[in-house]
Amino acid sequence: MSSTPSASTSPPAPRLPLAGVLRVGRPSDIWFKPALSVVAAITPPTLTLLALGRLDLAMYAMAGSLYAHNRPYAARAGVLGWVVLGMLGGLAVALVTASLTDSAAVLVTVGALLAAAQKVLCDATRVGPPGNVVLTFVSSASLFAPQTLDQVPGHLALAAATGAWAWLVCMAPALVRPHGPERRATATALTAAAAYADTGGTGEGHAPARAAGYAAVHAAWQSLLATRARSRTRRSLERLVVRAEVALAAPAQAEAERLRAWARALRGTGPVPQACLPSAAADELLGVDAARSLWTRLGPLTPLAARTALGCALAGYASLALGIGRPYWALVTAASLYQANIALTWSRAVQRVVGNVVGVLVFAAVAPLAHLGQAALVLCCLAFSFGAELLISRNYWLGSVCVTPMALLITEFAGYRATGELVTERVADTVVGALVGFAAAVAVTNRRAGDRVERALTAADRAREHAARLLAEPGPDPAALEAARRGLAVALADLRATADAAAGEWWQRALPQERVVLTEQSGHRTLAATARRQGLLPDQGTATETEDARP
């Protein structure tokens, strides 16, 4: 093991700033895909119900949400299938419970437990945005909808049919651009590597740029390894990701423009650029699949599950105590807050409150138009669903500005309500849910954050020492050296993510900050030495770097 000193510092309570929380970022590269997809998924079933005069059932028809736009299509098919099944499972529990009891306290309790289960499953499977929030909204709203047991099969059938339609909508782009997700992920990795190469590995901003680069490369490998099918296109993309890794191991400003040119070509529709690698290194890519188990990380599920269950339950109970008519709004608000640590949870709470308050003002302005008729109501809802997907990638609060009026309009599918009453209830539930939910996050401490940092440090040390031992051999096996390099890169990326998450937690023991920094430095030197031994970098300074890489 490494003899690096493990100086520890007690992390101060994370600062809870307002500056920067509401800053608007750049839109997602594929903002138009989820925005158009959600409209395409909900328009046909909603208009059909409108024509049949059963718009009151539209809540079930809009439950087939859209996920996994970053997954290769072969993997996306399975993920979407599980999402639909998960949605139906939560909906079934909610509908049966609603048909068996009128006790609001029992309904809130069941909703909180469902929210915790949905949070755990979505985090464990890394299903991606919108995560558990949409599933929680569907199940929680259904808990408070009038229901009888004989209606449950029909409502589930409607939700299943619209879920199947949403599946088809999400899979349709594969007919036009079958490797689109993998190309985008690889382009993002190349762009991030180019940003780090611009720093030359020095300067004030090089460490964040390097961490962002390894995170992007990590995501690119996840995308490429999501399916076992190996094609000529995938092999070409793998070589490009290796070039991004090489640029991170030994940044050179001269390489940055070439990486960006490859990224621009991948975002188009032309052929995949061909990156030259030594023949041995190209052959070693065949062994990348062996590292798939390294990509699976469950994360801090137990504290998050406890926070979600407690926060959602208390938020719902508080809403009931205040006499607000829809306690599930407070429950869903609390469920939407919980992120990897307290600092991020605070940011999400601020974004949620601001977005919802602005959103109810937008609803108040649009309500007279929406109340002109049911067709106008549906069209307004579709417009807000498009706007939500358009804006949410720029900042969560911007997306909430559209999600809030859309949710309020959905409640009016079964009958119009006084606008002032809806606005008052929504604002009250938002504030209650945010305050109680954040208080639960503070109360449920995440003492395991320090343990995960220690485990990540141990894994990084072992990965570095394994790579260093191979470098010390006169003729290491090329496949073993490639596996060691990839394993070390994954361990370093996981260490940085784990340390960042732990730094945003409260009430934990001292963290070994100095050891984290020194482990990262020695690990990156070993990565550079390994890349040189493989012939992926110019053969200069090899002896010195190999010596530095030894334990």
Side-chain angles (χ1 to χ4, degrees):
M1 295 296 296
S2 173
S3 59
T4 303
S6 55
S8 301
T9 58
S10 297
R15 306 173 77 181
L16 304 178
L18 291 176
V21 172
L22 303 179
R23 183 178 297 119
V24 177
R26 297 182 59 185
S28 165
D29 289 342
I30 57 168
W31 64 265
F32 56 91
K33 295 191 64 156
L36 294 174
S37 294
V38 72
V39 173
I42 66 178
T43 297
T46 306
L47 292 182
T48 299
L49 291 173
L50 175 63
L52 295 174
R54 294 305 309 270
L55 199 57
D56 58 301
L57 299 177
M59 180 180 69
Y60 309 111
M62 301 180 72
S65 190
L66 306 175
Y67 288 77
H69 282 283
N70 62 331
R71 305 283 183 106
Y73 290 104
R76 183 184 301 186
V79 171
L80 291 173
W82 284 111
V83 167
V84 172
L85 290 176
M87 176 202 65
L88 291 174
L91 186 60
V93 172
L95 293 178
V96 171
T97 303
S99 67
L100 295 177
T101 181
D102 293 327
S103 171
V106 172
L107 295 176
V108 167
T109 302
V110 172
L113 294 176
L114 280 174
Q118 289 157 345
K119 176 66 175 175
V120 168
L121 290 174
C122 287
D123 280 15
T125 58
R126 295 189 168 192
V127 70
N132 63 300
V133 178
V134 169
L135 301 178
T136 300
F137 172 77
V138 170
S139 59
S140 300
S142 300
L143 279 167
F144 291 86
Q147 198 73 214
T148 59
L149 277 176
D150 61 295
Q151 294 175 318
V152 171
H155 292 166
L156 289 176
L158 178 58
T162 54
W165 170 248
W167 186 94
L168 291 174
V169 169
C170 279
M171 294 301 298
L175 300 174
V176 179
R177 204 162 182 254
H179 296 286
E182 302 99 305
R183 289 172 66 117
R184 285 192 301 272
T186 303
T188 300
L190 290 167
T191 301
Y196 179 58
D198 283 334
T199 69
T202 59
E204 183 178 349
H206 86 280
R210 182 176 63 190
Y214 274 105
V217 166
H218 183 74
W221 279 121
Q222 284 183 305
S223 179
L224 291 172
L225 300 177
T227 59
R228 292 190 177 275
R230 297 182 62 86
S231 63
R232 181 177 179 181
T233 298
R234 174 172 157 177
R235 291 173 185 272
S236 298
L237 293 173
E238 287 174 346
R239 287 167 171 76
L240 289 170
V241 176
V242 171
R243 290 298 295 264
E245 286 183 316
V246 170
L248 293 171
Q253 293 178 335
E255 184 74 1
E257 187 52 42
R258 178 184 296 179
L259 297 173
R260 290 193 176 92
W262 285 336
R264 288 192 296 270
L266 287 176
R267 289 193 171 96
T269 57
V272 176
Q274 299 300 310
C276 296
L277 292 176
S279 58
D283 292 339
E284 288 154 17
L285 289 173
L286 296 174
V288 166
D289 283 340
R292 290 190 69 184
S293 61
L294 296 174
W295 309 117
T296 303
R297 184 166 57 92
L298 294 179
L301 297 183
T302 302
L304 283 178
R307 286 173 176 175
T308 304
L310 179 63
C312 291
L314 293 179
Y317 298 149
S319 178
L320 288 175
L322 293 174
I324 301 173
R326 288 179 172 81
Y328 67 85
W329 280 346
L331 189 156
V332 173
T333 294
S336 70
L337 303 185
Y338 302 115
Q339 306 299 304
N341 56 45
I342 290 291
L344 294 177
T345 299
W346 161 260
S347 297
R348 180 56 56 87
V350 173
Q351 293 163 352
R352 180 83 181 190
V353 171
V354 172
N356 281 15
V357 170
V358 177
V360 297
L361 297 178
V362 173
F363 169 75
V366 172
L369 173 63
H371 291 170
L372 292 176
Q374 288 192 323
L377 186 65
V378 169
L379 291 176
C380 288
C381 188
L382 293 175
F384 282 123
S385 66
F386 180 88
E389 295 296 337
L390 168 65
L391 297 173
I392 203 163
S393 64
R394 305 198 70 171
N395 194 301
Y396 182 82
W397 78 267
L398 275 179
S400 295
V401 169
C402 289
V403 170
T404 300
M406 180 181 71
L408 292 171
L409 291 172
I410 291 174
T411 65
E412 297 197 308
F413 282 167
Y416 297 136
R417 291 278 306 277
T419 300
E421 180 183 350
L422 280 177
V423 167
T424 301
E425 288 184 353
R426 184 61 188 238
V427 171
D429 272 329
T430 295
V431 174
V432 168
L435 289 177
V436 176
F438 184 73
V442 174
V444 180
T445 59
N446 187 3
R447 302 287 294 180
R448 298 184 180 182
D451 294 338
R452 285 192 296 275
V453 173
E454 289 293 342
R455 288 195 294 269
L457 279 166
T458 300
D461 282 337
R462 288 176 176 172
R464 184 188 63 80
E465 290 167 1
H466 176 58
R469 282 195 297 269
L470 290 176
L471 287 173
E473 296 177 1
D477 177 61
L481 194 59
E482 170 62 16
R485 183 178 69 84
R486 190 66 41 75
L488 177 55
V490 172
L492 291 173
D494 182 64
L495 174 59
R496 174 43 46 197
T498 304
D500 288 343
E505 280 294 345
W506 283 2
W507 321 122
Q508 61 179 318
R509 66 176 183 273
L511 295 177
Q513 301 284 13
E514 181 180 347
R515 185 181 167 201
V516 169
V517 173
L518 295 180
T519 298
E520 287 182 315
Q521 290 173 345
S522 60
H524 288 297
R525 286 198 300 269
T526 303
L527 279 178
T530 306
R532 282 201 167 87
R533 174 63 69 88
Q534 292 177 284
L536 299 174
L537 288 172
D539 189 14
Q540 57 184 18
T542 303
T544 301
E545 294 197 24
T546 302
E547 188 68 28
D548 289 341
R550 293 176 183 172

